[in-house]
Amino acid sequence: MGTPVGGGRSVPRYVQIAEEIVQQIQAGVLKPGDLVPSESELVERYGVAGGTIRKAMVEVRASGLVETRHGKGSIVKDRPPVRLRSSDRFRASHRRGGKAAYLAESAQSGATAKVSVLYIGPMEAPEDIAERLGVDAGTQVLARRRLYFRNGVPVETASSYLPWDVVKDIPQLFSENPGPGGIYARLEDDGHVFTEFVETLQARPATKAEASELALSPGAPVVHLLRNAVTKTGRVVEVCDTLMAADQFVFEYRIPAAD
């Protein structure tokens, strides 16, 4: 039976159990690498049926704080979040210092970053990407797909799409390592001056394939981010389609209050 809360509503017992386990993880009672007690142990501890415990563990896994390993059970993750400071992570000073945005934000958090390039080459622009780039669907663009790691753990995938007429004369953009400061620095070297980066975010559960690629539990929360890189001419010279493990990132935005 649930416990009554404000307004006469009651919280289901499995939710109460899930919240208690999550609190134990957040308080450090269950530490990274620790096994969450087994179903039989939790049944005995809470005096409930196995079905109630299974429902509770669904909620705990949805928190992103544990991962399930076949034959071992649920293990507390060691995945402290990276803080994304949107007000400064795309500063030109970072690029002049030789750091692309991901490397800059990882360095700020004291993490070790690694980038694995999955694909670089021409492709037909998907409809949603083409609309953002201002080209027809199916137009040839340059695609750059990467998998980002933090302290050895995959945390983010990113696919950049760039207009072919913009990149065809910038050979570094066809290389795995585009050089210090990343692709934005190379675009600036070619005369493209950025005025803003426009981002759209949506939180949702990971698909099975996404969960596998990012080493997440099935259905774990992810953040889908689409970013337009806009130059002073008003042209979008890159669209970045990014998927992030939600438990790895905290988003911090500075919003001007003046007109």
Side-chain angles (χ1 to χ4, degrees), residues 193-229:
V193 180
F194 294 107
T195 56
E196 63 178 354
F197 299 91
V198 182
E199 295 185 335
T200 304
L201 297 88
Q202 179 185 19
R204 59 170 174 79
T207 65
K208 185 176 181 179
E210 291 166 348
S212 176
E213 190 167 40
L214 292 174
L216 299 170
S217 299
V222 292
V223 176
H224 183 202
L225 183 150
L226 283 165
R227 178 174 64 251
N228 292 0

Side-chain angles (χ1 to χ4, degrees), residues 24 27 43 48-50 85 89 108 138-139 171 194 205 209 221 242 249 252:
Q24 290 174 357
V43 163
V48 296
R85 291 187 169 87
R89 64 192 168 109
Q108 288 174 347
T139 298
F194 294 107
T242 303
F249 296 91
E252 181 176 289

Side-chain angles (χ1 to χ4, degrees), residues 35-182:
L35 279 170
V36 176
S38 67
E39 180 180 320
S40 60
E41 290 173 317
L42 293 173
V43 163
E44 183 176 352
R45 176 184 300 179
Y46 291 105
V48 296
T52 300
I53 296 302
R54 288 190 288 275
K55 286 184 178 180
M57 287 308 299
V58 169
E59 298 294 318
V60 174
R61 286 192 289 272
S63 73
L65 297 174
V66 303
E67 59 183 341
T68 301
R69 296 181 185 173
H70 183 67
K72 289 189 176 182
S74 296
I75 300 174
V76 179
K77 291 181 181 179
D78 182 13
R79 297 167 69 92
V82 171
R83 179 176 293 274
L84 294 186
R85 291 187 169 87
S86 287
S87 58
D88 67 6
R89 64 192 168 109
F90 291 119
R91 286 184 184 275
S93 58
H94 289 320
R95 296 190 290 278
R96 288 194 296 270
K99 290 182 179 179
Y102 181 76
L103 298 178
E105 64 201 21
S106 294
Q108 288 174 347
S109 69
T112 300
K114 176 187 172 184
V115 182
S116 177
V117 177
L118 305 179
Y119 174 79
I120 300 175
M123 71 171 294
E124 295 182 355
E127 185 174 351
D128 58 335
I129 300 298
E131 182 177 354
R132 286 172 170 266
L133 288 173
V135 300
D136 294 332
T139 298
Q140 179 174 281
V141 296
L142 174 65
R144 295 179 56 91
R145 178 167 169 76
R146 293 91 67 200
L147 177 61
Y148 293 89
F149 295 81
R150 181 175 186 265
N151 295 338
V153 177
V155 297
E156 174 183 339
T157 62
S159 297
S160 289
Y161 302 92
L162 302 100
W164 197 261
D165 66 296
V166 169
V167 304
K168 61 183 177 64
D169 295 322
I170 311 177
Q172 299 96 321
L173 296 183
F174 293 82
S175 302
E176 285 196 13
N177 183 355

